[in-house]
Amino acid sequence: MKDNELILSILKDQVVPALGCTEPTAVAYAVAKAKEILGEEVESLDIFADKNILKNGKEVGIPGTHEKGIVVAAALALIVGKSEYKLEVLKEVTVDSLNKAMEIIDKNIISLNHKKDVIGLYIEVIAKGKTNTSRVVIQKTHLNIVLMEKNGECLSEEKQVDEVSKPSLRDRIKEFKISELKEFVDTVEFEKIAFINEGIIMNKKIAFDGLHGKLGLGLGSMLNTDENDFEKYAKAVTAAASEARMAGHPLPVMSSAGSGNHGLVAILPIAIIGEGLKLDNEKIIRGVTLSHLVTIYIKSYTGSLSPVCGCGVAAGVGASAGLAYIYGGTLEQIEGSIKNMIAGIAGMICDGAKLGCAYKLSVAVSSCVDAAKMAMDNIFVPSNDGILDKTVERSVQNLGKVSSEGMSNTDDVILDVMMDRCE
C-alpha cells in the first residue's frame, strides 16, 4: 500500500472545523493576519479577491449575525478576528463587536475589489495604519498564506513563487487511485481515523438545530416527514444543516476539501443512513473517510472554487462512494457509484453561497443515494457515455477538465448576473 501517512496528512489538512461560509471566512482570516502584522489600529483596508471568492461571499450569512457578505466578515475580523483560530476566525463575535463592525463599515474604510488577472483562489489584503502598512496574500486554498509583508518587507520564510507553483498537500491525493484510497479505508488502524467521528457529531448538531429551529427557508423541516425512511431523513438533515449554516447560525461544521457545505454532504447522508441501518460505528466512520477522500480527490481536479457546485459534483460524488461502501459494495460497485454520480449531476452550476444552497444539497443527497443503489444492483452508466471514461480516475479528470477549461467563462457570467440584478 502506498504511503498511509500521506493520506492521513491529507485528511487532517482537509477535514477541519469551519465557522460560517469558508470564502468570507478566508477573507476574515487574511484580514486578521494583516491586522496582527500591522500592530496598530487599521485606518484603511483594501481587499482584492478572485471572482469565486466574491461570488460565494456576496449573499451568505455571517455567523452570529443577521448580516451578509465579505465586508461584514472583514469588519468583524478587525474587531475580534484571531488568525490562530483559522477557519473559526470569527468565533468570538458578539452583539457588541457586530455594532462596532457596522460602525467601521459606515466609515467606508473597507474597499472590496475584483482581482481579475488571477487564476484560482486569490485573496489579497492591504491594511494601513498611521505609521505602518501590512499585506497578506492567500492563494490556491483557503488558509494557504503565500505572502506576508510589513512596510514592504517580506516576513514569509518561503519563496512565494515556489509556494504557489508546488503541489499543495491536497493535490498530492492525485498520486493515488480510487482503489488505493479504498484499500487505505479498509486497512488503516481505526484509531488513526477515529477523529472523523468529530465531524459526524459536529455536523449533526447544526443539522438538528436547523431542523428543530426551522432556520433558513424551512426546507429541512418540510422534508422531515418520516425519520424511519432513512434516505429521506438524510436529505432533510443535510438540507437543514446547510440552511442553518448559510443563515449565519453560530455553530461550526466539519468541512471537507475547504468547504463547510461539502463537509455536510460528505458526512451526513452516510452517518444518518448508516445509523438508520444500525451499522457498526466503525463501518460508518470508514465510509465517511472514503467519502472525504473521494471529495478531496475530485476537488484536486476541479479546483478549490469552480463554476460547478462542488457540493454535488465533488462531495455528492464522495458521498455516493461512501454509501456504496457502507452498503457493502465491492470496488467495482464503489467506482461504478462514482461514475453514475458524475454522469447524472456533472452540470450543476455554483451561483454563490446562499440559503438556496440547501436545496442543491438536498438534490445532491437524493442523487448520491440513487447512484449508490444503482451500483449495488450492478447498474452502471456505460463508460462511453458523455464525459465518462474507461477508468474512474479518467472520468474524474474529464470532470475536472470540463469544469475548469470548458466552463472557464461561466463564473464571469454568473458574477455579472449577480452584480447586475435588481435588488
Side-chain angles (χ1 to χ4, degrees):
M1 175 62 190
K2 209 176 283 186
D3 194 348
N4 274 12
E5 292 306 313
L6 174 56
I7 297 178
L8 277 171
S9 296
I10 294 169
L11 267 176
K12 290 178 179 178
D13 179 67
Q14 293 290 295
V15 180
V16 296
L19 179 64
C21 177
T22 40
E23 280 68 62
T25 300
V27 173
Y29 172 68
V31 171
K33 181 66 75 172
K35 173 190 67 174
E36 292 159 5
I37 293 170
L38 188 68
E40 61 179 315
E41 184 177 350
V42 176
E43 295 190 344
S44 72
L45 189 71
D46 294 313
I47 302 168
F48 301 87
D50 73 87
K51 56 193 174 186
N52 283 289
I53 293 290
L54 295 178
K55 179 184 72 174
N56 280 339
K58 185 176 185 297
E59 294 296 332
V60 71
I62 304 303
T65 80
H66 295 292
E67 304 293 333
K68 297 179 181 179
I70 291 172
V71 172
V72 173
L76 284 167
L78 291 178
I79 304 299
V80 297
K82 294 181 180 178
S83 65
E84 64 190 86
Y85 295 153
K86 297 185 177 179
L87 289 180
E88 295 181 276
V89 62
L90 297 180
K91 70 178 182 179
E92 293 182 354
V93 168
T94 62
V95 173
D96 182 58
S97 61
L98 176 60
N99 290 335
K100 291 178 180 178
M102 300 310 289
E103 290 174 5
I104 288 175
I105 293 171
D106 289 341
K107 292 178 182 177
N108 292 317
I109 70 167
I110 301 176
S111 170
L112 177 61
N113 309 278
H114 182 191
K115 183 76 169 177
K116 296 182 179 180
D117 57 342
V118 294
I119 297 174
L121 189 155
Y122 184 91
I123 300 166
E124 179 181 356
V125 172
I126 301 172
K128 296 179 181 178
K130 286 188 181 299
T131 58
N132 297 299
T133 300
S134 64
R135 179 169 173 250
V136 172
V137 177
I138 290 176
Q139 282 187 268
K140 295 187 74 172
T141 57
H142 293 78
L143 298 177
N144 187 41
I145 293 178
V146 298
L147 179 66
M148 292 185 290
E149 288 181 351
K150 184 171 185 178
N151 298 328
E153 180 182 349
C154 181
L155 305 179
S156 304
E157 296 180 358
E158 300 286 342
K159 290 184 178 179
Q160 304 314 317
V161 173
D162 293 341
E163 184 68 22
V164 174
S165 61
K166 74 180 184 182
S168 66
L169 182 56
R170 182 200 67 193
D171 288 347
R172 291 199 63 191
I173 202 167
K174 292 178 180 177
E175 298 173 20
F176 300 90
K177 294 181 178 179
I178 297 298
S179 60
E180 292 170 322
L181 299 180
K182 178 185 179 294
E183 183 181 348
F184 166 83
V185 170
D186 283 335
T187 61
V188 67
E189 296 94 329
F190 178 64
E191 294 73 20
K192 291 186 176 181
I193 58 169
F195 72 93
I196 294 296
N197 193 50
E198 297 172 18
I200 295 175
I201 295 169
M202 188 177 292
N203 290 4
K204 283 171 63 179
K205 186 174 182 181
I206 193 171
F208 295 150
D209 273 13
L211 273 181
H212 301 143
K214 297 183 179 180
L215 303 177
L217 300 172
L219 175 62
S221 298
M222 185 205 77
L223 294 171
N224 186 26
T225 57
D226 185 0
E227 293 186 11
N228 293 316
D229 186 329
F230 312 131
E231 294 166 3
K232 287 184 179 178
Y233 187 52
K235 183 176 175 180
V237 166
T238 308
S242 178
E243 288 182 280
R245 182 169 179 266
M246 295 292 93
H249 193 55
L251 282 181
V253 302
M254 190 63 76
S255 67
S256 186
S259 166
N261 274 357
H262 287 31
L264 298 179
V265 177
I267 293 171
L268 288 173
I270 298 159
I272 296 299
I273 293 173
E275 290 168 6
L277 294 173
K278 302 190 185 313
L279 297 182
D280 182 89
N281 193 49
E282 180 176 334
K283 182 74 171 182
I284 294 171
I285 290 172
R286 289 185 184 274
V288 171
T289 301
L290 181 61
S291 178
H292 280 306
L293 289 172
V294 173
T295 299
I296 297 163
Y297 185 83
I298 294 171
K299 293 294 284 187
S300 73
Y301 285 101
T302 62
S304 295
L305 299 170
S306 75
V308 296
C309 175
C311 300
V313 173
V317 179
S320 73
L323 285 173
Y325 184 89
I326 67 168
Y327 288 154
T330 63
L331 174 62
E332 179 186 13
Q333 289 169 323
I334 290 169
E335 292 186 341
S337 182
I338 292 171
K339 292 170 75 173
N340 286 346
M341 190 66 175
I342 291 174
I345 206 168
M348 183 186 288
I349 65 166
C350 171
D351 52 348
K354 70 280 182 205
L355 281 172
C357 287
Y359 185 41
K360 292 192 179 188
L361 266 66
S362 73
V363 171
V365 174
S366 290
S367 298
C368 73
V369 169
D370 289 344
K373 291 174 75 174
M374 286 168 60
M376 294 307 295
D377 279 346
N378 295 313
I379 299 172
F380 307 116
V381 177
S383 294
N384 58 357
D385 270 32
I387 64 172
L388 295 186
D389 213 313
K390 185 174 182 180
T391 68
V392 66
E393 291 81 14
R394 283 296 301 270
S395 297
V396 171
Q397 290 164 24
N398 292 346
L399 174 64
K401 188 173 184 179
V402 170
S403 300
S404 56
E405 297 178 30
M407 302 178 73
S408 59
N409 294 324
T410 304
D411 268 328
D412 293 314
V413 176
I414 291 172
L415 185 58
D416 285 345
V417 169
M418 291 174 65
M419 299 304 293
D420 291 343
R421 70 185 172 211
C422 297
E423 296 294 342

PDB file of all heavy atoms in Angstrom, residues 22 58 83 125 164 180 187 237 276 278 299 345 383-384 402 410 422:
ATOM      1  N   THR A  22     -16.807  29.385   4.019  1.00  0.00           N
ATOM      2  CA  THR A  22     -15.347  29.435   4.012  1.00  0.00           C
ATOM      3  C   THR A  22     -14.768  30.570   3.176  1.00  0.00           C
ATOM      4  O   THR A  22     -13.615  30.955   3.386  1.00  0.00           O
ATOM      5  CB  THR A  22     -14.766  28.090   3.544  1.00  0.00           C
ATOM      6  OG1 THR A  22     -15.547  27.575   2.469  1.00  0.00           O
ATOM      7  CG2 THR A  22     -14.747  27.089   4.671  1.00  0.00           C
ATOM      8  N   LYS A  58     -20.997  36.918  -1.484  1.00  0.00           N
ATOM      9  CA  LYS A  58     -21.927  38.040  -1.649  1.00  0.00           C
ATOM     10  C   LYS A  58     -23.203  37.914  -0.823  1.00  0.00           C
ATOM     11  O   LYS A  58     -23.641  38.874  -0.181  1.00  0.00           O
ATOM     12  CB  LYS A  58     -22.286  38.200  -3.135  1.00  0.00           C
ATOM     13  CG  LYS A  58     -23.158  39.424  -3.421  1.00  0.00           C
ATOM     14  CD  LYS A  58     -23.405  39.580  -4.914  1.00  0.00           C
ATOM     15  CE  LYS A  58     -24.174  40.856  -5.212  1.00  0.00           C
ATOM     16  NZ  LYS A  58     -25.513  40.892  -4.631  1.00  0.00           N
ATOM     17  N   SER A  83      -6.208  35.097  13.932  1.00  0.00           N
ATOM     18  CA  SER A  83      -5.776  34.172  12.883  1.00  0.00           C
ATOM     19  C   SER A  83      -5.489  32.782  13.428  1.00  0.00           C
ATOM     20  O   SER A  83      -5.580  31.797  12.689  1.00  0.00           O
ATOM     21  CB  SER A  83      -4.542  34.722  12.161  1.00  0.00           C
ATOM     22  OG  SER A  83      -3.429  34.799  13.038  1.00  0.00           O
ATOM     23  N   VAL A 125      -4.974  41.269   1.021  1.00  0.00           N
ATOM     24  CA  VAL A 125      -5.425  42.273   1.982  1.00  0.00           C
ATOM     25  C   VAL A 125      -4.282  43.244   2.250  1.00  0.00           C
ATOM     26  O   VAL A 125      -3.162  42.824   2.568  1.00  0.00           O
ATOM     27  CB  VAL A 125      -5.879  41.616   3.301  1.00  0.00           C
ATOM     28  CG1 VAL A 125      -6.166  42.676   4.358  1.00  0.00           C
ATOM     29  CG2 VAL A 125      -7.121  40.755   3.071  1.00  0.00           C
ATOM     30  N   VAL A 164       3.542  28.833  -4.511  1.00  0.00           N
ATOM     31  CA  VAL A 164       2.334  28.821  -5.331  1.00  0.00           C
ATOM     32  C   VAL A 164       2.388  27.717  -6.379  1.00  0.00           C
ATOM     33  O   VAL A 164       1.400  27.068  -6.686  1.00  0.00           O
ATOM     34  CB  VAL A 164       2.131  30.189  -6.018  1.00  0.00           C
ATOM     35  CG1 VAL A 164       0.955  30.130  -6.985  1.00  0.00           C
ATOM     36  CG2 VAL A 164       1.880  31.263  -4.971  1.00  0.00           C
ATOM     37  N   GLU A 180      -6.736   2.507  -4.304  1.00  0.00           N
ATOM     38  CA  GLU A 180      -5.785   2.653  -3.204  1.00  0.00           C
ATOM     39  C   GLU A 180      -6.406   3.416  -2.038  1.00  0.00           C
ATOM     40  O   GLU A 180      -6.104   3.140  -0.874  1.00  0.00           O
ATOM     41  CB  GLU A 180      -4.522   3.353  -3.709  1.00  0.00           C
ATOM     42  CG  GLU A 180      -3.730   2.493  -4.678  1.00  0.00           C
ATOM     43  CD  GLU A 180      -2.614   3.251  -5.364  1.00  0.00           C
ATOM     44  OE1 GLU A 180      -2.813   4.445  -5.713  1.00  0.00           O
ATOM     45  OE2 GLU A 180      -1.539   2.651  -5.562  1.00  0.00           O
ATOM     46  N   THR A 187      -7.988  -0.870   5.515  1.00  0.00           N
ATOM     47  CA  THR A 187      -6.892  -1.443   6.299  1.00  0.00           C
ATOM     48  C   THR A 187      -6.290  -0.529   7.364  1.00  0.00           C
ATOM     49  O   THR A 187      -5.613  -1.010   8.268  1.00  0.00           O
ATOM     50  CB  THR A 187      -5.759  -1.893   5.357  1.00  0.00           C
ATOM     51  OG1 THR A 187      -5.270  -0.752   4.630  1.00  0.00           O
ATOM     52  CG2 THR A 187      -6.257  -2.943   4.370  1.00  0.00           C
ATOM     53  N   VAL A 237     -32.015  16.220   6.896  1.00  0.00           N
ATOM     54  CA  VAL A 237     -30.984  16.620   7.850  1.00  0.00           C
ATOM     55  C   VAL A 237     -29.895  17.443   7.155  1.00  0.00           C
ATOM     56  O   VAL A 237     -29.449  18.479   7.676  1.00  0.00           O
ATOM     57  CB  VAL A 237     -30.375  15.376   8.529  1.00  0.00           C
ATOM     58  CG1 VAL A 237     -29.077  15.720   9.255  1.00  0.00           C
ATOM     59  CG2 VAL A 237     -31.368  14.763   9.511  1.00  0.00           C
ATOM     60  N   GLY A 276     -29.336   4.571  10.698  1.00  0.00           N
ATOM     61  CA  GLY A 276     -30.666   4.020  10.472  1.00  0.00           C
ATOM     62  C   GLY A 276     -30.638   2.526  10.205  1.00  0.00           C
ATOM     63  O   GLY A 276     -31.536   1.781  10.619  1.00  0.00           O
ATOM     64  N   LYS A 278     -28.495   0.641  11.479  1.00  0.00           N
ATOM     65  CA  LYS A 278     -27.881   0.064  12.684  1.00  0.00           C
ATOM     66  C   LYS A 278     -26.519  -0.580  12.385  1.00  0.00           C
ATOM     67  O   LYS A 278     -26.175  -1.638  12.932  1.00  0.00           O
ATOM     68  CB  LYS A 278     -28.826  -0.931  13.357  1.00  0.00           C
ATOM     69  CG  LYS A 278     -30.165  -0.326  13.752  1.00  0.00           C
ATOM     70  CD  LYS A 278     -30.971  -1.260  14.616  1.00  0.00           C
ATOM     71  CE  LYS A 278     -32.365  -0.713  14.926  1.00  0.00           C
ATOM     72  NZ  LYS A 278     -32.376   0.684  15.360  1.00  0.00           N
ATOM     73  N   LYS A 299     -11.854  17.473  -5.902  1.00  0.00           N
ATOM     74  CA  LYS A 299     -11.514  18.888  -5.789  1.00  0.00           C
ATOM     75  C   LYS A 299     -10.095  19.175  -6.260  1.00  0.00           C
ATOM     76  O   LYS A 299      -9.789  20.288  -6.701  1.00  0.00           O
ATOM     77  CB  LYS A 299     -11.681  19.356  -4.345  1.00  0.00           C
ATOM     78  CG  LYS A 299     -13.109  19.372  -3.850  1.00  0.00           C
ATOM     79  CD  LYS A 299     -13.957  20.404  -4.575  1.00  0.00           C
ATOM     80  CE  LYS A 299     -13.685  21.800  -4.102  1.00  0.00           C
ATOM     81  NZ  LYS A 299     -14.629  22.785  -4.679  1.00  0.00           N
ATOM     82  N   ILE A 345     -24.937  14.325 -12.444  1.00  0.00           N
ATOM     83  CA  ILE A 345     -25.023  15.625 -11.775  1.00  0.00           C
ATOM     84  C   ILE A 345     -23.916  16.585 -12.195  1.00  0.00           C
ATOM     85  O   ILE A 345     -23.788  17.674 -11.642  1.00  0.00           O
ATOM     86  CB  ILE A 345     -24.998  15.406 -10.242  1.00  0.00           C
ATOM     87  CG1 ILE A 345     -25.693  16.553  -9.508  1.00  0.00           C
ATOM     88  CG2 ILE A 345     -23.583  15.166  -9.737  1.00  0.00           C
ATOM     89  CD1 ILE A 345     -25.954  16.291  -8.052  1.00  0.00           C
ATOM     90  N   SER A 383     -19.276   3.425 -19.834  1.00  0.00           N
ATOM     91  CA  SER A 383     -18.081   4.265 -19.847  1.00  0.00           C
ATOM     92  C   SER A 383     -17.938   5.102 -21.103  1.00  0.00           C
ATOM     93  O   SER A 383     -17.101   6.010 -21.143  1.00  0.00           O
ATOM     94  CB  SER A 383     -16.835   3.393 -19.671  1.00  0.00           C
ATOM     95  OG  SER A 383     -16.827   2.797 -18.386  1.00  0.00           O
ATOM     96  N   ASN A 384     -18.712   4.810 -22.129  1.00  0.00           N
ATOM     97  CA  ASN A 384     -18.640   5.640 -23.342  1.00  0.00           C
ATOM     98  C   ASN A 384     -19.760   6.674 -23.387  1.00  0.00           C
ATOM     99  O   ASN A 384     -20.008   7.292 -24.410  1.00  0.00           O
ATOM    100  CB  ASN A 384     -18.673   4.770 -24.605  1.00  0.00           C
ATOM    101  CG  ASN A 384     -19.915   3.898 -24.684  1.00  0.00           C
ATOM    102  OD1 ASN A 384     -20.738   3.893 -23.772  1.00  0.00           O
ATOM    103  ND2 ASN A 384     -20.041   3.153 -25.773  1.00  0.00           N
ATOM    104  N   VAL A 402     -13.726  19.627 -17.859  1.00  0.00           N
ATOM    105  CA  VAL A 402     -14.958  20.324 -18.240  1.00  0.00           C
ATOM    106  C   VAL A 402     -15.223  21.491 -17.294  1.00  0.00           C
ATOM    107  O   VAL A 402     -15.604  22.590 -17.723  1.00  0.00           O
ATOM    108  CB  VAL A 402     -16.153  19.352 -18.240  1.00  0.00           C
ATOM    109  CG1 VAL A 402     -17.463  20.110 -18.395  1.00  0.00           C
ATOM    110  CG2 VAL A 402     -16.002  18.329 -19.362  1.00  0.00           C
ATOM    111  N   THR A 410     -17.843  30.760 -17.419  1.00  0.00           N
ATOM    112  CA  THR A 410     -19.124  30.664 -16.721  1.00  0.00           C
ATOM    113  C   THR A 410     -19.165  31.517 -15.469  1.00  0.00           C
ATOM    114  O   THR A 410     -20.156  32.208 -15.198  1.00  0.00           O
ATOM    115  CB  THR A 410     -19.429  29.197 -16.374  1.00  0.00           C
ATOM    116  OG1 THR A 410     -19.397  28.409 -17.572  1.00  0.00           O
ATOM    117  CG2 THR A 410     -20.796  29.057 -15.723  1.00  0.00           C
ATOM    118  N   CYS A 422     -31.584  43.316 -10.181  1.00  0.00           N
ATOM    119  CA  CYS A 422     -32.289  44.278  -9.337  1.00  0.00           C
ATOM    120  C   CYS A 422     -32.363  43.762  -7.919  1.00  0.00           C
ATOM    121  O   CYS A 422     -32.693  42.591  -7.701  1.00  0.00           O
ATOM    122  CB  CYS A 422     -33.707  44.528  -9.865  1.00  0.00           C
ATOM    123  SG  CYS A 422     -33.755  45.261 -11.504  1.00  0.00           S
TER     124      CYS A 422
END
